Amino acid sequence: MSRIRIEVLSGEDAGRVFESDADVVRVGRAPDCDLRLAGAELSSRHVRISAGRGGFVVEDDGSASGSCLIRGEQRTELRLSDEQHALASGDELELGGDADEPTRLRVTLGDEPPPPEVVATRSLHELQSAPLDAKVWNAVLAALGAAESLEAVVAEVAEAALRLAPRATHATVALLEDSQSLVPMGTRVRGPDGVPVAPEGPVALTRSVARRVVEGRAAVLAADAPREALGSESLLGANIRSTIGVPLWKGDDILGVLQVDNRDAPAMFDRRDVEALGVLARGASLAVVSARLIQKLTVAEEQLRKENQFLRGRERSRAGEKRIVGESRRLEQVLAQLGKVVDTRVTVLIEGETGTGKELFASAIHYRSQRRDKLFVAQNCAAFPENLLESELFGHKRGAFTGATDEKKGLFEVADGGTLFLDEVGEMPLALQAKLLRVLQEGEVRPIGAAMARRVNVRIVAATNRNLEREVTEGRFREDLYYRLKVFPLRVPPLRERREDVPVLAKHFLERYTREFGRELHGFTPPALEILSAYDWPGNVRELENEVQRAVIQAEGERFVTPELLSARVRKNEGKSVPPIAASAPPPEEEADDGSGTLREMMDRVERRILVRTLQSHGNNKTAAAKALGITREGLHKKLKSLGL
């Protein structure tokens, strides 16, 4: 191994020389860098030089302005995604190459100074079995008890080491990284008043001692005088620099090294110092493991929080993309009913045919309520057999049944605080209906195999396409559960009962799928809209969506959706009259006013023709028609109602 020497050739710190025998040297502007340099072209952490078994290597440490390794005429760009590059004595590093005046460094690798003489060692087994002195142990507990973060633990360990070894002037904690490099994490030095303080700059490890600790898995006491000289009492306590390295461990794994030395006030450590620091290392090892675990949990928790925030945002955006589209009076009535119940706790039963969008209305109830920041969880009760559905909804304990190898949390617990949507609730088996009734009555769920019930705060929204009253009469659905669910019934009308929404929905789906498939379709031809409006849509909105999607896929050079792009089943209605307003209205242009009747009656006939003509020209889109007429949508509704349209 070599000692590294870095000479600053250019930049604000030109002429500065840095020497270290540390395993890792960080270069940048950050205060915690080993070689801290000024210069706007440098990043907080620019490059990182590490010592491995084969020598030193250099890598980009997240620089924003680039770095380069120069060897003779050869230049190698260092990038964050690149592998490590071997360093040789005489190599130069150019930092901030994107700037006008980059900082340039020359690296020299020299031999290490002679390693200190090992005076004594104590194996890991001896450290583990050493007796605990009550005073020392209490000091360890007092130092580490309040520390939670890894940085705080390292600082407390270094300070405790200086208190336990009165002759020590420096204490450093270094931890092993995945690359098996020792990285100094924190250092404390003894201040003028004897109180441990943070050093002004980085303090290098005595690397030969630290390596001996890691490789030998033992505490090491070393000195810069030969062993035979230390046997003379006249030399003990003389100007001798000594070092103690103690391993930090967990089981058979070495976590790092606690190194203590007396470089500013030379004196010789003895066996008692090693034992005291060994006791400290036992407590420090546990504290480091706990702090790392807390750090990982904190990072994981923050990551989970961000993921949940992202998923909820994506779910909201999807809910926004799949918004409830329509302008019919029937739909407005349903939405008015929905608005009355969103901020209550009552159970909602959504009834409607297949494809009417019952889940969309259920999600609207959730995302418009005060529960919007919690989860909206949907489960189709017809998608699982009885035994699996019970586990899915209520969860199970480990070993509750064959195959239950792990504990599973049910959807009622997952949705705690939010909304659970039970689609096709009429398909739920009678045995599970009894458990669902208990949740509604008591607010408790009991996982399969559990002895205790758990409280949950879940809002239930159920949906069915069956006639539950008939199901109750025929004994397939519990009557008490039926009345518990039908606290606030909400009927979603089929599409044939709100035909004026067909053009609006068709346009909405056309915009979505032309964007998704990269097509350029600008709308529907009037004959195509008439065919769509005349069709009964037994599959409701879902069938209309599929029809539009199919038309977009089939379109090649067309600019508009024509009847030829529609399916044969839908085209069977070609030529049929459209039930909505346009069908009941007289021809707008050809009908002449014969002048009979009162002035009011003649004015009504004229107004009727204008309204019908405007609605037809805008595909029965009331919002667009009202805008063209210069009135509000509510005003248009009133006029249509007064004229019987």
Side-chain angles (χ1 to χ4, degrees):
M1 300 298 292
S2 300
R3 180 177 179 84
I4 188 168
R5 181 178 187 271
I6 301 176
E7 181 183 357
V8 184
L9 302 178
S10 64
E12 294 188 26
D13 293 284
R16 182 178 170 187
V17 176
F18 171 84
E19 294 187 4
S20 175
D21 59 358
D23 278 340
V24 177
V25 175
R26 289 189 174 94
V27 182
R29 290 193 303 161
D32 60 344
C33 284
D34 304 287
L35 176 54
R36 185 182 181 187
L37 300 174
E41 74 278 6
L42 299 177
S43 299
S44 297
R45 290 192 174 184
H46 208 101
V47 294
R48 169 190 170 107
I49 301 172
S50 307
R53 293 187 177 181
F56 281 96
V57 295
V58 63
E59 59 186 314
D60 190 277
D61 204 17
S63 68
S65 54
S67 49
C68 182
L69 170 63
I70 302 173
R71 181 176 298 166
E73 300 296 326
Q74 182 181 358
R75 295 174 61 91
T76 304
E77 296 291 335
L78 304 181
R79 303 193 181 278
L80 187 60
S81 59
D82 285 353
E83 297 180 355
Q84 298 172 332
H85 297 267
L87 268 179
S89 189
D91 285 348
E92 294 185 2
L93 298 175
E94 188 178 83
L95 312 184
D98 297 341
D100 294 335
E101 297 183 4
T103 296
R104 201 174 179 106
L105 312 176
R106 178 185 293 126
V107 178
T108 305
L109 304 179
D111 294 333
E112 280 186 316
E117 180 78 13
V118 175
V119 177
T121 61
R122 297 203 64 177
S123 68
L124 200 60
H125 176 72
E126 291 176 300
L127 293 176
Q128 289 173 320
S129 58
L132 299 178
D133 182 274
K135 292 183 179 180
V136 174
W137 189 242
N138 287 337
V140 171
L141 294 179
L144 301 178
E148 293 184 358
S149 68
L150 185 60
E151 292 78 7
V153 167
V154 167
E156 292 292 349
V157 171
E159 291 181 11
L162 293 179
R163 289 195 293 268
L164 294 175
R167 284 169 285 190
T169 61
H170 292 67
T172 299
V173 176
L175 298 180
L176 279 173
E177 290 189 332
D178 294 337
S179 61
Q180 296 303 301
S181 296
L182 273 172
V183 179
M185 301 297 294
T187 300
R188 288 295 182 269
V189 299
R190 196 179 300 280
D193 55 356
V195 177
V197 295
E200 294 182 358
V203 177
L205 287 173
T206 305
R207 195 167 56 195
S208 58
V209 173
R211 286 203 306 270
R212 181 69 179 266
V213 171
V214 174
E215 294 171 0
R217 304 169 61 79
V220 174
L221 170 58
D224 58 0
R227 182 190 299 268
E228 53 270 18
L230 294 174
S232 171
E233 292 184 3
S234 63
L235 291 178
L236 291 178
N239 290 337
I240 298 171
R241 173 179 170 180
S242 55
T243 302
I244 296 176
V246 183
L248 305 176
W249 73 93
K250 176 189 177 186
D252 294 331
D253 298 327
I254 300 298
L255 304 176
V257 175
L258 166 61
Q259 190 172 106
V260 173
D261 58 49
N262 55 1
R263 63 185 71 186
D264 289 345
M268 186 61 199
F269 294 126
D270 58 24
R271 174 183 54 81
R272 289 169 298 179
D273 296 312
V274 177
E275 290 180 350
L277 293 175
V279 173
L280 173 61
R282 290 171 65 177
S285 299
L286 295 174
V288 167
V289 171
S290 299
R292 278 181 163 175
L293 180 59
I294 291 174
Q295 188 178 56
K296 288 181 180 179
L297 291 174
T298 302
V299 171
E301 186 180 45
E302 178 64 17
Q303 182 68 21
L304 184 61
R305 186 190 65 80
K306 290 180 179 179
E307 288 178 0
N308 283 340
Q309 187 177 15
F310 168 75
L311 290 173
R312 285 178 182 146
R314 187 175 68 177
E315 186 66 24
R316 288 197 188 107
S317 67
R318 286 178 175 176
E321 181 184 349
K322 296 181 180 179
R323 66 186 185 275
I324 299 174
V325 176
E327 301 172 350
S328 64
R329 185 184 301 274
R330 294 294 304 277
L331 183 61
E332 288 183 346
Q333 292 171 347
V334 175
L335 293 177
Q337 289 292 100
L338 185 146
K340 295 176 182 178
V341 77
V342 289
D343 281 326
T344 67
R345 297 186 59 184
V346 301
T347 303
V348 178
L349 178 62
I350 302 176
E351 299 173 302
E353 298 178 4
T354 299
T356 52
K358 296 185 289 296
E359 183 172 348
L360 194 59
F361 283 86
S363 66
I365 292 173
H366 173 78
Y367 288 111
R368 298 183 188 188
S369 73
Q370 296 176 354
R371 296 174 180 258
R372 67 179 66 91
D373 292 329
K374 300 296 182 179
L375 290 179
F376 172 77
V377 181
Q379 175 60 50
N380 190 323
C381 297
F384 287 90
E386 179 178 347
N387 57 336
L388 294 181
L389 181 61
E390 182 178 8
S391 172
E392 194 72 15
L393 293 176
F394 302 99
H396 63 253
K397 302 291 288 184
R398 182 179 180 182
F401 51 84
T402 303
T405 56
D406 295 299
E407 184 172 336
K408 177 183 175 64
K409 185 180 288 188
L411 295 183
F412 278 101
E413 290 187 76
V414 172
D416 192 15
T419 303
L420 177 59
F421 173 56
L422 299 177
D423 197 9
E424 305 300 345
V425 72
E427 304 284 347
M428 182 178 288
L430 285 170
L432 288 187
Q433 292 179 25
K435 295 194 71 171
L436 175 58
L437 181 63
R438 177 176 176 80
V439 178
L440 293 173
Q441 290 176 334
E442 308 295 337
E444 294 179 343
V445 295
R446 178 176 295 177
I448 302 172
M452 301 291 293
R454 300 174 183 175
R455 298 286 301 177
V456 292
N457 174 20
V458 179
R459 199 230 184 112
I460 302 295
V461 178
T464 182
N465 60 2
R466 292 188 176 189
N467 186 328
L468 287 189
E469 288 189 19
R470 184 163 56 246
E471 295 293 306
V472 169
T473 303
E474 297 176 0
R476 291 191 294 268
F477 201 84
R478 293 179 62 104
E479 185 176 11
D480 47 3
L481 177 60
Y482 171 67
Y483 288 114
R484 278 283 180 179
L485 291 175
K486 201 170 183 177
V487 177
F488 193 93
L490 199 68
R491 180 179 180 272
V492 180
L495 195 53
R496 63 182 174 275
E497 294 182 10
R498 52 186 186 109
R499 292 181 184 272
E500 55 266 51
D501 285 336
V502 170
V504 182
L505 285 165
K507 180 182 178 183
H508 169 74
F509 293 135
L510 182 67
E511 291 175 352
R512 177 194 297 180
Y513 290 115
T514 52
R515 183 171 61 250
E516 180 177 335
F517 299 144
R519 303 296 175 87
E520 293 187 3
L521 290 168
H522 302 293
F524 296 85
T525 62
L529 271 184
E530 289 180 7
I531 294 172
L532 293 176
S533 299
Y535 184 60
D536 280 340
W537 301 109
N540 293 293
V541 179
R542 185 183 297 129
E543 185 183 3
L544 174 59
E545 180 180 2
N546 293 340
E547 183 68 28
V548 175
Q549 185 178 12
R550 187 184 302 110
V552 174
I553 293 173
Q554 291 179 341
E556 294 182 357
E558 295 88 344
R559 296 175 59 85
F560 292 88
V561 176
T562 62
E564 291 73 24
L565 294 176
L566 302 179
S567 63
R569 182 184 64 259
V570 175
R571 287 204 309 271
K572 288 181 180 179
N573 293 274
E574 192 169 1
K576 291 186 179 180
S577 60
V578 182
I581 298 170
S584 60
E589 300 294 345
E590 291 78 359
E591 182 181 341
D593 196 322
D594 57 6
S596 62
T598 64
L599 178 61
R600 179 63 184 174
E601 290 172 343
M602 288 187 287
M603 291 292 292
D604 286 346
R605 287 197 295 270
V606 173
E607 192 170 18
R608 179 187 179 93
R609 286 198 301 273
I610 294 173
L611 292 177
V612 170
R613 184 177 61 227
T614 306
L615 283 168
Q616 286 181 332
S617 63
H618 289 86
N620 286 335
N621 186 322
K622 294 180 183 177
T623 300
K627 185 176 180 180
L629 292 169
I631 59 177
T632 64
R633 193 168 181 274
E634 291 74 15
L636 177 60
H637 271 300
K638 291 180 180 179
K639 289 185 177 294
L640 293 174
K641 184 177 181 181
S642 65
L643 294 172
L645 295 175

